[in-house]
Structure formats: C-alpha cells, structure tokens
Amino acid sequence: MELGAPGRPRTSYWNIADTMPDYLDSYENAVKPVPSTIPELDDMIKGGFRPGIHFIGGNTGAGKTALCLWMAHRMASMTDEETGQPTGVTIISLELSAAEVRARMGSRLSKHLEGLQPFSWADFEEHGAECKAKIANKTYNPDEDPVYCADLELVSRCPNMRIVDNIVNSKANDLGYILNEIQMTGAAGGRVCFVDYLQCIDAGFGLDETEAMKEAVRKINLAGIRYGVAVIVIAAVNRAKGSEMRNSKKGENPGADIFRGSSWIEYTGLTAMALIRHKNARKTRNYVEVELCLVKNRRGTFGDPIELAYDGAHGDFVTWDEVMN
C-alpha cells in the first residue's frame, strides 16, 4: 500500500491533510543519530546525537574541551551509515588554535597506535623547535618526528574533518559565520559540528550577554535541525555550581541549572551533560576519575553517571574499569 494523504479538497487554512506527504517523507527518511562513541551514553539518548543543539559543561579541570575533541576524533574515524563514508565533523574552536586542536588529537593517537612515539600535546612547541633546528642542520627525518607521524595518521583516519579557529579567521566567533558553517557541514554530508564555546559567540545586535546567548542558542538549534547536523556546544557553568560540583558526592546528578544563563539551555537543548571532577577524585597512573552526568534528555532516560578516566597530558578518555583492569 502506498502511503499518502486521504483525498479531500484543499483547504484555505487547516493543513493537517495537505502536509501529510511531507510528514511521511520525514518519517521514511529520518536521519539516524550519530553515536557519541560512549555506549552507556548512547543507550540513554537512544542511539546518539540528533540534529539540533546539545550542551556539555563542567567544573574546572574536568576536561570539557578534551572530551569534545576525543569524541570528534572518534566520530570522524567512524563510517557514516547514511553515506558509507567517514563521518563528516566540523570543529569550531573559539579559544584554541587549529594547531593546538590537531596537536591534542595527535597526542592521543600517539599514545594508542603501535609504531608511534607518544608525546604530550603540551610539548608541541618544544617538538616544533627541535624539528626546525634539524631541518636547518639537514638532519631532519620525518619518520622520527612524533608530531608529524601522528598527524599523518589523523589525516588518514579522519579525512572528512574540518577545523576552524578564531585566530586565523577573526570572523569565526560571529553567530552568522557559525550558522553558515553548520549549513555547509550539512551540505557537504557532514553530521556533527562542535563549538567551543558558547560564551565566546558574538551574536551582535548590541545585545547583553543573556540576550546574546538566547539568540545564539535558538538560531544554532534551528540551523542544526534544518541542515541535519548535531551541534555539540561547550557552555560555561556558573561559579557557584562549579564549586558545588567539585565538592559534591560521587554519583550525584547536579541538574540542568548548572550553566550560566541556564534557562535557554534547559529549554532548547536536546541533551545537556555535566562533566565532573570531584575534589577527592581517584587517580591512577596518568588518569584521574571524572563523571559524565546526563542532566537533560529529551529522549530516553537518565541513568547513573558514567565513570570515565581522563588523561590530560594526551587528551584521552577511557572507562574507569578499563584503567583498573
């Protein structure tokens, strides 16, 4: 049986029957969510991130940016079920340079891939100086350069990644520019856009911070839905809530009111997550324990906080159980 609207005269105002074909087209061609690459989180949000806006916040030192770059790298390494190609991921970095973003992702790769020399992303400049000196002395061997070798792997594994920063491109923090990047990501078949971070966006129009954030959140959400892109935005938490999170007991969900100007985040976001580093967090080797809490979820359920282990030197995350085993 062919699905379609029941025949009846077109009306001048009531459109429920007239728009049934559009509804069925949306139904039959619904875009699958993009997995977060964290199975426990995907179980709670019914498969992954859907088009629209999502938020990540956390207290100081929890690794918010590192978590987003970690997810971005892992997503871009996956095959997109919709296209059969590597997943298209755009990173809009309004604080870090594009070079630092690449160095952080390369540092993580260097730790995990056999044959690569591990390096800390904080040593990027030091390795660069050594590289420059060796080139000048004609003793440079690219096969011995850990940063270069890791970046070759990054390019090979994540060919459909785009990185934009606010240093090379001074317009990158303009809301209009970000909306255009979301549109272009969708037009190129991309599925995900990361923005670091919300409070750096210039919404223009002479608005105060609260009104500017409201404008940015609303328009980014609509752009994500319109162009089929999940937009994951890092947002600052207010100081009092950050302190509460640091001093809270393990397993406590801090709630969705942790963000600065939280009302629009609570209202608009499809999901919102809090990354918490407790004052007395467990540590082992290079890892410190952090908890990822789902504080808003329009789909699915709220489960227990996800226990992760964070290696700040390499921007790496694993489950706490993996570290202990």
Side-chain angles (χ1 to χ4, degrees):
M1 183 181 72
E2 183 177 351
L3 298 176
R8 75 181 219 184
R10 187 176 182 87
T11 62
S12 60
Y13 179 73
W14 312 114
N15 70 350
I16 188 70
D18 299 333
T19 57
M20 188 175 180
D22 294 333
Y23 168 68
L24 294 176
D25 181 68
S26 298
Y27 169 58
E28 294 172 24
N29 297 291
V31 177
K32 293 182 179 180
V34 181
S36 70
T37 75
I38 304 173
E40 299 93 332
L41 178 60
D42 290 333
D43 286 345
M44 287 188 275
I45 61 177
K46 296 295 184 182
F49 295 116
R50 290 168 172 78
I53 195 166
H54 308 261
F55 296 98
I56 293 180
N59 60 321
T60 303
K64 301 178 291 295
T65 296
L67 180 66
C68 285
L69 295 182
W70 177 78
M71 285 196 296
H73 171 218
R74 285 157 60 92
M75 289 175 178
S77 301
M78 299 187 311
T79 298
D80 184 355
E81 292 185 18
E82 297 288 327
T83 65
Q85 301 295 319
T87 304
V89 176
T90 295
I91 299 171
I92 303 174
S93 177
L94 305 182
E95 284 204 306
L96 305 181
S97 68
E100 185 170 340
V101 169
R102 290 179 82 130
R104 290 187 180 216
M105 289 190 286
S107 174
R108 176 183 175 270
L109 272 175
S110 76
K111 178 181 177 181
H112 287 281
L113 292 184
E114 185 177 350
L116 292 184
Q117 177 186 338
F119 72 94
S120 168
W121 63 264
D123 295 332
F124 173 76
E125 293 88 353
E126 181 181 339
H127 286 296
E130 292 177 3
C131 169
K132 184 176 181 179
K134 289 179 179 180
I135 290 174
N137 296 331
K138 298 182 179 180
T139 60
Y140 178 70
N141 181 353
D143 293 336
E144 298 175 352
D145 185 338
V147 177
Y148 175 77
C149 291
D151 200 60
L152 281 180
E153 289 290 343
L154 179 65
V155 171
S156 173
R157 292 166 182 269
C158 306
N160 293 344
M161 179 180 285
R162 173 174 169 80
I163 304 172
V164 179
D165 70 21
N166 198 36
I167 297 171
V168 174
N169 188 340
S170 61
K171 298 289 186 181
N173 69 323
D174 289 352
L175 178 57
Y177 181 92
I178 292 170
L179 298 177
N180 185 65
E181 282 289 341
I182 296 169
Q183 179 179 358
M184 295 304 292
T185 295
R191 302 288 307 283
V192 188
C193 181
F194 288 85
V195 181
D196 184 11
Y197 66 99
L198 176 63
Q199 281 73 17
C200 288
I201 297 174
D202 181 4
F205 318 115
L207 303 176
D208 62 27
E209 181 180 343
T210 300
E211 288 299 315
M213 191 169 68
K214 171 182 173 181
E215 185 78 3
V217 167
R218 185 178 65 85
K219 288 189 174 181
I220 288 173
N221 183 55
L222 291 175
I225 295 171
R226 185 173 293 125
Y227 302 117
V229 177
V231 187
I232 302 168
V233 181
I234 298 176
V237 302
N238 67 57
R239 290 185 179 181
K241 288 294 182 179
S243 178
E244 286 181 17
M245 290 160 66
R246 172 176 162 76
N247 294 304
S248 64
K249 294 180 180 179
K250 183 178 171 182
E252 290 183 348
N253 191 312
D257 62 347
I258 60 172
F259 300 96
R260 276 168 49 188
S262 63
S263 58
W264 269 91
I265 291 175
E266 292 179 68
Y267 176 74
T268 309
L270 302 180
T271 63
M273 293 153 282
L275 189 63
I276 305 172
R277 179 172 177 170
H278 296 286
K279 180 171 61 176
N280 298 318
R282 293 179 290 177
K283 298 179 182 178
T284 182
R285 301 197 296 276
N286 293 327
Y287 289 95
V288 62
E289 184 184 26
V290 294
E291 289 186 319
L292 182 64
C293 299
L294 192 61
V295 297
K296 180 182 178 181
N297 185 14
R298 283 196 180 177
R299 297 173 183 260
T301 60
F302 293 87
D304 294 330
I306 301 166
E307 295 182 348
L308 299 174
Y310 169 43
D311 173 5
H314 298 92
D316 189 36
F317 288 84
V318 295
T319 66
W320 187 254
D321 286 343
E322 287 178 275
V323 170
M324 299 307 294
N325 294 330

